Amino acid sequence: MEKAGMTNMFWFAGGLLGLSVALVHASIGQRLIEAPTEWLSEVRARVLTGVFHLSSVYWFALGAAVAIAGVMQPGVWQRPVAWVTLLIYATGATANFWATRGRHFGW
């Protein structure tokens, strides 16, 4: 297989991985994070739910963008998609590290 075809295949696989991680994150969060919120007020529980699932929505969108970049012509959208993905994941990781003081399950 030629180099461009392999590169696109890896982009597509990376996008599918991103989509999968988003779905697993939303599922685990629904069961483990949002379920034990009965001690919070209704408004705070809704805010927590929204904020938690917002990251899953972003990850799902990024996974879709990466997968789509993998099936497009090589080099057209891959660099911008890579930078946006990097910035969003890095921002989320930094905020998670700060908010959990480094004790997040994913670390």
Side-chain angles (χ1 to χ4, degrees):
M1 184 178 267
E2 63 184 53
K3 183 181 178 192
M6 283 296 281
T7 301
N8 285 354
M9 184 181 69
F10 286 127
W11 274 84
F12 188 74
L16 292 180
L17 181 64
L19 291 168
S20 300
V21 168
L23 293 174
V24 169
H25 183 263
S27 174
I28 289 174
Q30 187 72 35
R31 287 184 288 126
L32 300 179
I33 301 297
E34 295 173 31
T37 57
E38 56 271 348
W39 56 275
L40 290 174
S41 69
E42 182 181 345
V43 172
R44 288 183 179 176
R46 280 189 303 187
V47 168
L48 176 65
T49 301
V51 169
F52 188 86
H53 283 301
L54 189 59
S55 62
S56 296
V57 169
Y58 286 153
W59 293 356
F60 192 87
L62 289 173
V66 170
I68 290 169
V71 297
M72 295 183 74
Q73 182 180 3
V76 174
W77 286 101
Q78 290 174 344
R79 184 168 290 189
V81 167
W83 278 108
V84 169
T85 302
L86 172 73
L87 291 173
I88 290 178
Y89 279 145
T91 302
T94 303
N96 249 340
F97 188 80
W98 173 78
T100 63
R101 297 182 188 104
R103 296 180 304 234
H104 186 273
F105 172 76
W107 299 115

